[in-house]
Amino acid sequence: MLRLGSKAEATRNVHMELRKVCNHPFLLKGLREHCDEPDAIRAASGKMVLVDKLLRKVLKAQDKILIFSQFTMVLDLLEEFCHGRGWAVERLDGGTSLRARQ
């Protein structure tokens, strides 16, 4: 027998998993065990293909880029991707100390 609260909670969990997979499939548990190279991260998501193209174009012009995300997991993936490409990254999120922010 399902309680009303557990059904709503299950719906929220499915919703969150769908939000994660829409950002990048590697955000789901178990899908990213042996794929640490930038090309695999890029190829698994149309969004990452677009981000890669945009970053290359903007960095070629030596401009700076600011990327916002609601998920720190997405920032983790983007950071790993950029490091794999040899691009410098500075991250500012809730885990960044006040001293590092200044």
Side-chain angles (χ1 to χ4, degrees), residues 4-53:
L4 183 61
S6 63
K7 186 175 181 181
E9 186 176 325
T11 302
R12 277 193 299 266
N13 289 340
V14 170
H15 181 253
M16 184 57 67
E17 294 301 309
L18 289 171
R19 285 184 67 197
K20 289 193 297 190
V21 79
C22 285
N23 280 300
H24 198 287
F26 286 0
L27 297 179
L28 295 178
K29 290 181 181 177
L31 290 182
R32 187 184 170 214
E33 295 173 3
H34 303 290
C35 300
D36 291 332
E37 52 191 64
D39 290 331
I41 295 171
R42 179 186 188 268
S45 168
K47 284 184 180 183
M48 286 302 290
V49 171
L50 180 62
V51 166
D52 186 41
K53 288 179 182 179

Side-chain angles (χ1 to χ4, degrees), residues 43-94:
S45 168
K47 284 184 180 183
M48 286 302 290
V49 171
L50 180 62
V51 166
D52 186 41
K53 288 179 182 179
L54 289 172
L55 290 177
R56 287 175 188 270
K57 185 175 182 178
V58 172
L59 291 172
K60 190 181 232 183
Q62 296 183 343
D63 289 330
K64 293 185 179 185
I65 302 155
L66 181 62
I67 298 176
F68 291 95
S69 177
Q70 291 181 327
F71 294 106
T72 56
M73 294 182 295
V74 172
L75 295 176
D76 294 339
L77 196 61
L78 281 167
E79 186 174 21
E80 183 177 335
F81 175 75
C82 289
H83 284 301
R85 290 279 192 237
W87 299 331
V89 174
E90 281 191 47
R91 183 169 172 163
L92 181 65
D93 64 12

